[in-house]
Amino acid sequence: MDACLLASVFTLLPTFLGAQGSGDNSWSMKVQAEVRATEGYPVVLPCSFSHPNHTPHSSLLVAWRQGAALLFHCTTHAGSQACEPALHQDPRYRLEGNPREHDLSLRINSAALQDGGRYYCRVEVPGHKHASYEDKMGTLLRVEAPPRILSLSVGGSQDSGFRALCEVEGSPLPDIQWVSPDHLLEGLEVGRPPGQGPPSQHHTVSQLPDIHPGQQYTCSATNPLGREQATLYVLPPRREACPGAAAPSLLLLLSLSLGAKALLLGGVGVWAVQGRASSGPICRWR
């Protein structure tokens, strides 16, 4: 990156926080108020502009930010059609439009839930007084995702009682229901598990207290894009044949279904609280 380009970029950064134009009424910029995307798919944020000082031979400095964070910037040099991105630019972002044709649209490849937020488009014509502009309202990007059950686990002990935990992600945030074979059960929303950071608008954990051996419990997560569910089978304790052998404390069999399709998780994992033989049930994932 040459010294002139670097100086232009740092000149832009203080003005980003104000989200203001140059004060030149000859500018115009057109963006969409809201864009919706699906997780894992590309999305384009439209942005176009016009200004009398811009000619096909003008150099342009283009920048996009999400909130206060600068995400992307590139420069078109005189005599070149390409908009050259900054060094170490995240490859997920690229300019979809052609600045020579007044199109500054940004493409985000493989949209993720954390990409949701408000985006602002900015353009500058270097060497011209007041020849810069940023749309004040911006574009709100909403990234949607069907429910996904990240984990279904058991906590507690025989003394304090066992509880089931269902960790779910999705956008809009899924509704969670606990179901036994014959009736609905009352779960409690407990946010994210300890040590996993602050609560997220796309992530939640529901807890079902007082689960019992010999029963099965289903966690069902639903939002407008779909439904996913997982079922936990809690088997009664069994005695070990070998005296003195240590035994895990709870047996779990997990099945997962997407809509009408049932998906059995392959492999076996073990969750265990070590104790003496015959102290409690056995535990395993399926």
Side-chain angles (χ1 to χ4, degrees):
M1 184 183 298
D2 57 44
C4 293
L5 173 58
L6 188 62
S8 297
V9 171
F10 281 104
T11 300
L12 279 174
L13 290 178
T15 64
F16 276 174
L17 296 179
Q20 297 177 357
S22 63
D24 187 341
N25 291 330
S26 59
W27 275 104
S28 70
M29 183 172 281
K30 184 178 179 181
V31 300
Q32 279 187 221
E34 182 175 314
V35 173
R36 292 180 179 270
T38 301
E39 183 185 35
Y41 290 87
V43 60
V44 174
L45 306 180
C47 177
S48 60
F49 78 98
S50 65
H51 189 275
N53 288 333
H54 172 237
T55 70
H57 303 292
S58 299
S59 293
L60 288 174
L61 180 62
V62 180
W64 279 86
R65 65 182 175 91
Q66 180 188 21
L70 179 65
L71 292 181
F72 175 88
H73 62 273
C74 66
T75 301
T76 59
H77 298 286
S80 173
Q81 290 291 324
C83 195
E84 183 180 338
L87 294 176
H88 311 299
Q89 177 68 57
D90 187 335
R92 287 202 311 128
Y93 306 104
R94 69 176 176 84
L95 211 59
E96 180 79 357
N98 184 351
R100 297 294 184 203
E101 299 175 358
H102 297 192
D103 188 351
L104 311 177
S105 301
L106 180 72
R107 177 186 176 96
I108 304 175
N109 288 318
S110 189
L113 288 175
Q114 60 267 28
D115 290 324
R118 192 166 293 277
Y119 289 74
Y120 299 90
C121 174
R122 182 179 177 89
V123 62
E124 179 177 329
V125 183
H128 293 274
K129 187 177 181 180
H130 301 307
S132 63
Y133 192 83
E134 178 178 309
D135 179 69
K136 296 180 181 180
M137 298 302 295
T139 297
L140 179 62
L141 174 61
R142 298 186 185 274
V143 181
E144 300 180 336
R148 182 165 57 248
I149 295 178
L150 304 178
S151 68
L152 182 60
S153 59
V154 169
S157 66
Q158 288 187 333
D159 293 333
S160 63
F162 292 105
R163 62 187 181 276
L165 295 170
C166 186
E167 185 179 0
V168 175
E169 184 178 67
S171 177
L173 189 67
D175 293 323
I176 301 177
Q177 285 188 326
W178 289 95
V179 184
S180 71
D182 52 354
H183 60 282
L184 291 175
L185 302 171
E186 189 69 27
L188 302 172
E189 186 175 335
V190 295
R192 302 192 72 171
Q196 292 194 10
S200 165
Q201 60 178 327
H202 308 304
H203 189 129
T204 189
V205 176
S206 180
Q207 174 181 287
L208 182 65
D210 301 324
I211 63 173
H212 303 288
Q215 301 293 324
Q216 74 177 41
Y217 305 92
T218 297
C219 173
S220 178
T222 307
N223 74 7
L225 280 74
R227 178 172 68 94
E228 180 166 283
Q229 67 182 35
T231 298
L232 185 70
Y233 300 88
V234 185
L235 300 186
R238 69 180 184 185
R239 294 182 179 275
E240 293 292 333
C242 300
S249 65
L250 199 62
L251 175 59
L252 311 178
L253 302 178
L254 178 66
S255 66
L256 192 66
S257 70
L258 298 169
K261 296 182 180 180
L263 174 65
L264 293 181
L265 297 182
V268 175
V270 176
W271 173 90
V273 177
Q274 295 296 330
R276 293 189 176 277
S278 74
S279 63
I282 304 173
C283 166
R284 125 185 110 186
W285 292 94
R286 186 177 68 187

